[in-house]
Amino acid sequence: MRRYLSLLVVVGIVAGLFGIGYEALAKPVVSRQGLIETEFDGGFSPKALPKNTPLPISFHILGKIRSLDPEEPHPPALREFQLEGDKHVTVNTGGLPTCAEGKLQATTTEAARKACGPAIIGTGKTVVGVLFPDQNEFDVHSELTAFNGGVRGGVTTLYVHAFLTAPITAAIVTKVKIKKIHKGRYGTLSVASIPKIAGNGAVKSFSLTIEKGVLFATCPDGHLNARGTAVLADGTRIAAGVTRPCTPKG
């Protein structure tokens, strides 16, 4: 049942990170597909957006992934996520300090933040489930830090850093590449590459807040769209789309 991961939480993660509109929810959304259950909540501010002039927005997103199968309690691992984002939402890191990926590899959270403090664009927390052969799954907790990697050749790079400790020790750096596309409603393509985590590690929960000054949005017609494809460790690809309302002003 591992391959039937609901895309709901995956879209939620990338939506919160890359500026796809997601209105504040009165309560968490729970979704089940097969024996995999996802739960997430989040929002952006402000919700009323200009029709034509991009406005800086901040995001908070959180979610959980759990297996309901007693024979397979470990959730599946995500290797890559491809997202086509609404043309009315943009990522603009021009003029912001940048961080090189090499400064984040094999570093603790404290060391990474010290090395690239001015390039931090968001923070959060995560819990990763780790499963070694012939052992029970155990949870490893980490803080998340999002860094601006800069723009080169029209491609924006972001890094999301986590550091896992006890009983494994590892820095996990997810690289995100964002570029413009012209595909009807969609104007950006974001590809997040998630490295393999020791012990068949899989994300079980997360929370992430992206600061204002990175994401910009307009709301000309009352909604923002996203369409994404998740690629799991076994090669399974799962695609889905979402539409979220916003309030036009001006």
Side-chain angles (χ1 to χ4, degrees), residues 23-88:
E23 78 268 22
L25 302 177
K27 59 182 180 180
V29 172
V30 177
S31 177
R32 292 183 182 180
Q33 191 168 355
L35 292 177
I36 298 296
E37 181 179 85
T38 63
E39 175 184 331
F40 74 96
D41 197 357
F44 62 86
S45 178
K47 299 172 184 62
L49 300 170
K51 294 180 180 180
N52 301 306
T53 304
L55 187 73
I57 52 177
S58 62
F59 275 82
H60 178 71
I61 193 78
L62 58 88
K64 298 178 182 179
I65 307 172
R66 62 179 68 92
S67 172
L68 304 178
D69 186 349
E71 297 182 359
E72 295 188 23
H74 187 64
L78 177 67
R79 289 288 176 261
E80 182 178 273
F81 189 81
Q82 304 164 7
L83 181 78
E84 293 171 292
D86 198 295
K87 63 183 179 181
H88 301 299

Side-chain angles (χ1 to χ4, degrees), residues 91 93 150-157 177-181 187-189:
V91 177
T93 62
V151 182
R152 184 175 182 179
V155 177
T156 299
T157 299
K177 295 287 189 179
I178 309 168
K179 66 178 182 180
K180 293 182 180 180
I181 60 173
T188 59
L189 174 64

Side-chain angles (χ1 to χ4, degrees), residues 16-239:
L17 184 57
F18 306 125
I20 303 306
Y22 180 78
E23 78 268 22
L25 302 177
K27 59 182 180 180
V29 172
V30 177
S31 177
R32 292 183 182 180
Q33 191 168 355
L35 292 177
I36 298 296
E37 181 179 85
T38 63
E39 175 184 331
F40 74 96
D41 197 357
F44 62 86
S45 178
K47 299 172 184 62
L49 300 170
K51 294 180 180 180
N52 301 306
T53 304
L55 187 73
I57 52 177
S58 62
F59 275 82
H60 178 71
I61 193 78
L62 58 88
K64 298 178 182 179
I65 307 172
R66 62 179 68 92
S67 172
L68 304 178
D69 186 349
E71 297 182 359
E72 295 188 23
H74 187 64
L78 177 67
R79 289 288 176 261
E80 182 178 273
F81 189 81
Q82 304 164 7
L83 181 78
E84 293 171 292
D86 198 295
K87 63 183 179 181
H88 301 299
V89 180
T90 59
V91 177
N92 186 351
T93 62
L96 297 179
T98 63
C99 180
E101 183 179 6
K103 293 184 177 182
L104 303 176
Q105 297 289 358
T107 61
T108 64
T109 297
E110 182 180 2
R113 292 178 177 178
K114 183 177 180 179
C116 292
I120 295 174
I121 59 173
T123 57
K125 296 182 180 180
T126 188
V127 176
V128 175
V130 176
L131 181 65
F132 288 105
D134 302 320
Q135 295 185 15
N136 293 327
E137 180 189 51
F138 55 86
D139 292 343
V140 183
H141 298 252
S142 173
E143 295 184 63
L144 291 177
T145 312
F147 296 89
N148 173 33
V151 182
R152 184 175 182 179
V155 177
T156 299
T157 299
L158 306 179
Y159 300 113
V160 181
H161 177 277
F163 186 74
L164 309 182
T165 60
I168 65 170
T169 301
I172 308 299
V173 181
T174 295
K175 181 186 294 185
V176 183
K177 295 287 189 179
I178 309 168
K179 66 178 182 180
K180 293 182 180 180
I181 60 173
H182 301 280
K183 201 171 182 180
R185 180 76 189 195
Y186 304 102
T188 59
L189 174 64
S190 304
V191 179
S193 301
I194 299 91
K196 185 176 181 179
I197 304 172
N200 193 26
V203 174
K204 296 178 69 175
S205 68
F206 67 90
S207 64
L208 184 66
T209 297
I210 300 298
E211 302 166 0
K212 283 187 177 180
V214 176
L215 311 175
F216 299 80
T218 59
C219 181
D221 53 9
H223 65 92
L224 298 171
N225 298 355
R227 182 168 61 195
T229 301
V231 182
L232 305 185
D234 63 358
T236 300
R237 301 170 69 91
I238 309 172

